[in-house]
Amino acid sequence: MARKIFKKTMQILLVILLITLIGGMLYMRSDRFGINAAGARLERMQKSPNYKNGAFDNLENTPALAEDASYSKMLRKFFFEKKVRNSPSNPLPVIKTDLKNLPIDSNLYVWFGHSSYLLQLDGKKILVDPVLSEYASPVRISAKAFPMEYVYQPEDMPEIDILVITHDHWDHLDYNTLKAIQQRVKHIVTGLGVAAHLEKWGFPTEKITELYWGEEAYVDGFKFTSATARHFSGRTFTRNTTLWSSFILHSITKKIYIGGDSGYGKHFKEIGEQYGPFDYAILENGQYNQMWKYIHMMPEEVITAANELKAKYTMPVHSSKFALAMHEWDDSLIRVAKAAEENNYPIVTPKIGQVVSLDNYVKLPNWWEGID
């Protein structure tokens, strides 16, 4: 009798596993996962110096994990050793700003948490890596957004003159957000290969400019130059089928470095020497760990990178919305603020939704202090 029950139980488990596998495979074929490049786009990618064996590579040797780390160790720590303050216990303070009626004659910056932000320069609106969904993952069981006093939605966004996508990770390229604002986006600038996703989602080819490292383009009066980053890409288990990039944005009045995601490396000094100085460098500061130190900067390295870029000021981003690492939610802000103070370097750390002038630097208070 026991043997029959065991056999029946195993059969049920196998059926459940089979259904799960089939369901997962079907789900991964949905539009939100995007599509690999083909045709003329793939041929262009294949001619790129760092495209080898069907994938892009970093210019500097960049292991996915540090020498003393392993995937088993990483998974164990991530799922079983998370710190208790990985997410704030109370809603984060948010300033609700009417983004559709910003003074058009002002150069402004508004951050929405993580790596999503709006730049208003010379009367134009530039939106970078907008992720306004509740989750930064393909499934609603991980990477849930922190509680906030106000949650910015796609309908809060104004007409966008230029949308910038630095790479195709789920916490930077969000299908739901892009579909919701699709009719309000005039043009897109992104890395080589990413346009395949965008075209699948209905964005016209003629409205997309995709660049390889070192290439430049003029879009609506702005000069965009693609620059290297030390990272990776991918929306499925296959990595690096599209290019991850940083961008130099040159307007009539400002030169801004849009960093995207990047580990620390020699490229910051090289970019500073070739393209600097910058008025502002917007650099990732969060979701780091010594186990993957080559693909995400430590907070102290943000200040080093900003100095090497020859930037007057830096905005630390990539924090305060999603817990994609094991550090406490405010650790990145505490450490980068301390490093900036020790190096007498001015940083810009507004609350989410707060309007910051790009013409007049004002030292802002540490809004994260006192929040558990």
Side-chain angles (χ1 to χ4, degrees):
M1 184 68 180
R3 183 177 295 178
K4 289 183 178 180
I5 294 174
F6 175 77
K7 185 178 179 180
K8 188 68 173 179
T9 301
M10 291 303 297
Q11 290 175 339
I12 293 172
L13 289 175
L14 285 172
V15 169
I16 292 173
L17 179 60
L18 182 61
I19 292 172
T20 302
L21 288 173
I22 294 173
M25 291 174 64
L26 291 174
Y27 180 60
M28 288 182 65
R29 296 179 63 182
S30 66
D31 284 353
R32 67 183 61 248
F33 283 86
I35 193 171
N36 288 333
R41 175 173 293 113
L42 180 59
E43 291 178 7
R44 181 184 168 196
M45 292 163 59
Q46 291 170 335
K47 294 176 182 177
S48 303
N50 71 321
Y51 189 88
K52 303 172 184 177
N53 301 317
F56 287 106
D57 197 4
N58 286 284
L59 298 182
E60 186 175 354
N61 181 39
T62 305
L65 294 177
E67 292 76 8
D68 59 346
S70 66
Y71 282 103
S72 59
K73 179 181 177 181
M74 180 187 71
L75 292 172
R76 184 176 67 253
K77 284 184 173 292
F78 192 85
F79 288 106
F80 301 107
E81 299 181 26
K82 279 190 175 184
K83 293 187 177 180
V84 293
R85 294 185 70 252
N86 199 243
S87 174
S89 58
N90 295 304
L92 294 183
V94 176
I95 295 177
K96 186 178 180 181
T97 296
D98 182 359
L99 302 172
K100 297 177 182 178
N101 290 292
L102 296 170
I104 198 65
D105 57 347
S106 300
N107 294 322
L108 306 170
Y109 166 80
V110 184
W111 178 52
F112 306 115
H114 203 65
S115 291
S116 305
Y117 51 90
L118 178 72
L119 296 168
Q120 181 172 280
L121 290 172
D122 302 339
K124 302 291 185 178
K125 292 180 173 61
I126 301 163
L127 184 62
V128 179
D129 289 354
V131 178
L132 304 176
S133 297
E134 188 178 3
Y135 293 85
S137 73
V139 291
R140 296 174 64 87
I141 58 174
S142 64
K144 185 177 181 180
F146 296 161
M148 298 186 182
E149 291 180 351
Y150 178 77
V151 178
Y152 276 91
Q153 301 290 334
E155 51 265 32
D156 292 317
M157 297 299 112
E159 295 286 323
I160 302 301
D161 296 290
I162 305 171
L163 173 67
V164 176
I165 302 295
T166 62
H167 62 296
D168 71 359
H169 279 157
W170 292 81
D171 60 321
H172 292 259
L173 177 60
D174 180 50
Y175 171 81
N176 290 337
T177 300
L178 263 59
K179 289 299 292 182
I181 66 172
Q182 188 167 3
Q183 301 306 315
R184 283 173 282 153
V185 174
K186 297 178 182 178
H187 201 88
I188 303 174
V189 175
T190 190
L192 182 56
V194 178
H197 301 318
L198 302 173
E199 289 173 359
K200 182 177 178 63
W201 299 344
F203 288 91
T205 304
E206 63 273 15
K207 290 187 176 183
I208 306 171
T209 298
E210 53 182 338
L211 300 173
Y212 180 73
W213 295 335
E215 292 180 341
E216 60 184 44
Y218 287 85
V219 180
D220 207 359
F222 296 92
K223 179 182 177 181
F224 284 89
T225 304
S226 173
T228 186
R230 200 179 182 197
H231 199 54
F232 67 107
S233 67
R235 295 179 72 77
T236 62
F237 298 113
T238 304
R239 286 188 169 192
N240 301 346
T241 56
T242 63
L243 193 65
W244 52 100
S245 306
S246 60
F247 292 97
I248 293 117
L249 168 58
H250 204 163
S251 77
I252 297 172
T253 57
K254 295 284 184 290
K255 189 190 292 185
I256 297 176
Y257 180 73
I258 298 173
D261 278 3
S262 178
Y264 178 74
K266 61 183 181 181
H267 61 287
F268 287 117
K269 187 174 182 180
E270 293 170 351
I271 291 170
E273 290 174 348
Q274 184 174 359
Y275 299 106
F278 294 95
D279 295 292
Y280 292 92
I282 306 175
L283 298 171
E284 68 135 284
N285 173 55
Q287 321 320 315
Y288 48 80
N289 191 284
Q290 283 293 330
M291 289 190 291
W292 54 85
K293 63 181 180 179
Y294 296 116
I295 55 175
H296 284 295
M297 283 191 284
M298 301 294 143
E300 294 76 17
E301 291 174 326
V302 172
I303 303 305
T304 302
N307 273 311
E308 291 181 344
L309 287 164
K310 302 178 183 178
K312 295 178 185 176
Y313 313 102
T314 189
M315 286 96 155
V317 297
H318 210 245
S319 70
S320 307
K321 188 167 185 177
F322 303 110
L324 306 179
M326 285 86 82
H327 59 74
E328 296 186 359
W329 78 267
D330 54 356
D331 184 62
S332 53
L333 292 165
I334 293 170
R335 287 173 61 178
V336 77
K338 181 181 178 182
E341 184 177 0
E342 290 174 348
N343 289 273
N344 195 29
Y345 185 88
I347 61 174
V348 182
T349 53
K351 292 180 181 179
I352 293 171
Q354 183 174 359
V355 178
V356 173
S357 171
L358 295 176
D359 295 321
N360 301 291
Y361 171 75
V362 176
K363 181 175 174 56
L364 299 172
N366 296 342
W367 62 266
W368 56 88
E369 292 181 350
I371 301 175
D372 185 27

